[in-house]
Amino acid sequence: MTQNSSFSPIHIIGGGLAGSEAAWQIAQTGVPVILHEMRGVRGTDAHQTDSLAELVCSNSFRSDDASANAVGVIHAEMRLAGSLIMACADRHQVPAGGALAVDRDGFSEAVTQAIHDHPLITVVREEIDGLPPKEWDLTIIASGPLTSPALAEGIRTETGADALAFFDAIAPIVHRDSINMDICWYQSRYDKVGPGGTGKDYINCPLDEAQYNAFIDALIAGDAVGFKEWEGTPYFDGCLPIEVMAERGRETLRHGPMKPMGLTNAHNPTVKAYAVVQLRQDNALGTLYNMVGFQTKLRYGAQAEIFRMIPGLENAEFARLGGLHRNTYINSPILLDPTLTLKSRRGLRFAGQITGCEGYVESASIGLLAGRFAAAERKGEEISLPPATTALGALLNHITGGHLVSDDEPGKRSFQPMNINFGLFPDLEPGSIVKPDGVKRFRGKDKTVMKRQLMCARALNDCRSWLGLPPAEAVPELAEVEELD
């Protein structure tokens, strides 16, 4: 590490996982950091301590399998990039099968100690009650999903009233290749060709009357999640949870997001569906589809079980399940450039959950990137973006422009937070998936497993190249895995 304090410091607002990781990445390049953390002066409704990188929910960083799991891949890429968060997590790991779980207190204390011990990092305990002063020059805002009201108002003033969300109504997102197109078909309602459309812009799942009634019964009986006291219940008619709509009347959904009008089943044109669930392309790659109008507060297990009752989704794999919760985040694809810099104010970057990612490692990984980008800018170096084929690059692309804009659902934001998943990665080159020698049947799950293993290997190789590291000595043999997500 080059100890060079001749550079002006980079300021970071927020000492969570993203802010701590950004500070570490910057300081490791020889650039000084001033890390501003509110806790210690003012608490939040969720945090219990004033330690940096406190884990407020689960102690799990999820799967650590880098051979066939997107989360495991981002773990591995962050380790390759010298991540402080991953180093402390590995040091304080507790048994959790194939997942990486940590002793939450030991982990947070280790991050706090490392940050305080670094000679180029200064921690200042204070609340920043608005946008940082311009004389700070390069600054990263990593204030998390519970951004203080004063800072949130400063962001809103700079970016516009519609650019900041405080409650997130999320519909489930399905991997395209898990949808049964022998049952479903492509068609826009009334074959309407909208801007950039073809008249076949939706995937449609038909239900007959018995299937619809069984689905409504399951929704009403489903196990819903209650809000914490500090969250409230921010329903508005443009984004009602589907189970709330179902409770208002058995036919409500059939005359709302599940209306069958203007649609003809391509597999059975003479039979009119009683109800239809529509899925709309959710990312530019065309690998993910959003269940239109299906925002929900059902518990995750209930969601997967109930939504797989829908014909064509019986084997659906979900890139993200639905939810309705407190989550302060900006409309990043509109506001940020590819280096996470606010377009309206050069030098001001955002990192972590406020950019529109979900999960501990996702938040920390965006902090890692923001830190590297800011350090390169301070040193006058060219900023190098991670390849889209890496987990870091795939998540960055989602945040800064990988979504599709929707103008046909009033009250619903087109950009919503996302965990890392294979649907964010570019597809493999044609011909990459080849049946292994001696295998008679090779289809379905076997192909999916191989596809994901090949995507993982590609990601890690490309990440090594991006970081200037030598290629791995060997690629692990393909093996069966228990979970695909």
Side-chain angles (χ1 to χ4, degrees):
M1 179 182 65
T2 302
Q3 297 282 346
N4 187 343
S5 59
S6 64
F7 295 110
S8 297
I10 294 173
H11 292 260
I12 298 175
I13 300 173
L17 278 79
S20 297
E21 185 64 61
W24 183 261
Q25 292 290 326
I26 294 168
Q28 289 293 87
T29 72
V31 175
V33 177
I34 299 177
L35 178 60
H36 305 262
E37 170 52 50
M38 176 180 72
R39 286 176 297 118
V41 175
R42 180 180 180 277
T44 75
D45 294 307
H47 291 86
Q48 302 297 315
T49 76
D50 61 3
S51 296
L52 302 178
E54 179 184 340
L55 305 182
V56 298
C57 297
S58 168
N59 70 327
S60 175
F61 283 25
R62 310 186 337 268
S63 174
D64 202 37
D65 176 12
S67 69
N69 190 291
V71 180
V73 172
I74 209 166
H75 286 182
E77 291 181 6
M78 291 174 68
R79 291 184 179 111
L80 290 173
S83 166
L84 172 66
I85 294 301
M86 291 307 302
C88 293
D90 289 336
R91 198 178 313 146
H92 293 276
Q93 183 174 6
V94 296
L100 173 60
V102 304
D103 177 308
R104 67 174 69 241
D105 293 331
F107 165 78
S108 180
E109 289 167 5
V111 174
T112 303
Q113 191 66 50
I115 293 293
H116 278 283
D117 287 349
H118 201 293
L120 292 181
I121 302 176
T122 301
V123 179
V124 179
R125 299 285 181 167
E126 63 178 351
E127 180 180 359
I128 305 301
D129 58 3
L131 283 188
K134 292 189 177 180
E135 54 264 30
W136 281 10
D137 188 19
L138 296 186
T139 303
I140 297 172
I141 295 179
S143 49
L146 298 179
T147 295
S148 71
L151 178 55
E153 184 56 35
I155 296 170
R156 182 195 290 272
T157 300
E158 173 69 26
T159 59
D162 296 330
L164 191 67
F166 294 97
F167 283 94
D168 194 18
I170 298 175
I173 288 180
V174 180
H175 287 279
R176 163 63 185 82
D177 58 11
S178 70
I179 300 171
N180 184 354
M181 296 306 296
D182 290 334
I183 294 175
C184 304
W185 75 95
Y186 285 101
Q187 185 188 8
S188 300
R189 202 176 299 279
Y190 299 108
D191 300 309
K192 181 179 179 181
V193 179
T198 64
K200 296 183 178 181
D201 302 323
Y202 293 80
I203 293 177
N204 299 278
C205 308
L207 294 86
D208 61 26
E209 186 172 2
Q211 291 167 332
Y212 175 79
N213 283 320
F215 179 70
I216 296 300
D217 289 340
L219 276 182
I220 294 173
D223 187 12
V225 175
F227 282 89
K228 296 179 181 179
E229 290 183 5
W230 47 270
E231 288 185 311
T233 308
Y235 299 152
F236 56 97
D237 285 342
C239 264
L240 281 175
I242 55 168
E243 62 274 12
V244 173
M245 285 190 275
E247 290 171 353
R248 291 186 174 185
R250 180 164 290 272
E251 295 292 294
T252 301
L253 282 172
R254 202 170 77 86
H255 293 280
M258 295 179 68
K259 60 180 178 288
M261 285 74 79
L263 298 168
T264 301
N265 189 337
H267 302 295
N268 196 358
T270 62
V271 176
K272 186 71 174 177
Y274 190 75
V276 172
V277 173
Q278 288 197 304
L279 296 93
R280 181 186 56 239
Q281 185 175 332
D282 194 77
N283 67 340
L285 296 172
T287 54
L288 300 175
Y289 273 72
N290 189 300
M291 297 179 69
V292 177
F294 265 57
Q295 55 277 354
T296 177
K297 58 185 180 68
L298 290 169
R299 295 188 185 277
Y300 284 173
Q303 285 186 47
E305 180 180 349
I306 294 170
F307 295 151
R308 287 183 180 132
M309 295 173 63
I310 298 169
L313 301 185
E314 57 274 1
N315 296 312
E317 294 176 19
F318 296 94
R320 185 193 67 194
L321 288 163
L324 189 65
H325 58 280
R326 172 73 183 268
N327 190 5
T328 304
Y329 69 100
I330 61 174
N331 195 357
S332 293
I334 304 298
L335 300 175
L336 304 184
D337 74 7
T339 72
L340 299 165
T341 300
L342 191 64
K343 294 175 184 177
S344 65
R345 179 171 164 180
R346 306 310 301 174
L348 181 59
R349 284 183 168 82
F350 285 80
Q353 285 188 259
I354 196 169
T355 65
C357 61
E358 288 198 336
Y360 292 146
V361 292
E362 290 88 343
S363 178
S365 72
I366 298 303
L368 182 152
L369 292 176
R372 284 177 165 261
F373 297 160
E377 183 173 350
R378 173 64 80 217
K379 299 173 78 172
E381 299 172 352
E382 182 179 355
I383 294 177
S384 173
L385 301 179
T389 51
T390 64
L392 291 169
L395 188 59
L396 178 66
N397 283 352
H398 165 71
I399 288 170
T400 61
H403 78 306
L404 296 177
V405 175
S406 169
D407 57 7
D408 61 352
E409 287 188 85
K412 186 171 179 58
R413 297 167 60 86
S414 58
F415 172 68
Q416 294 182 345
M418 180 79 75
N419 294 111
I420 186 66
N421 66 83
F422 285 113
L424 302 183
F425 290 71
D427 213 344
L428 297 169
E429 292 293 323
S432 298
I433 301 176
V434 179
K435 184 176 73 170
D437 293 337
V439 175
K440 293 183 178 180
R441 292 187 176 184
F442 186 63
R443 58 191 179 191
K445 183 180 179 182
D446 294 329
K447 277 190 174 181
T448 301
V449 169
M450 176 175 280
K451 175 182 177 181
R452 295 183 177 185
Q453 289 173 331
L454 291 171
M455 293 174 83
C456 290
R458 178 185 67 177
L460 294 178
N461 284 335
D462 289 354
C463 185
R464 283 181 170 275
S465 177
W466 173 62
L467 293 169
L469 302 173
E473 293 183 4
V475 177
E477 292 185 5
L478 300 180
E480 181 66 29
V481 292
E482 292 184 3
E483 281 200 39
L484 299 177
D485 288 329

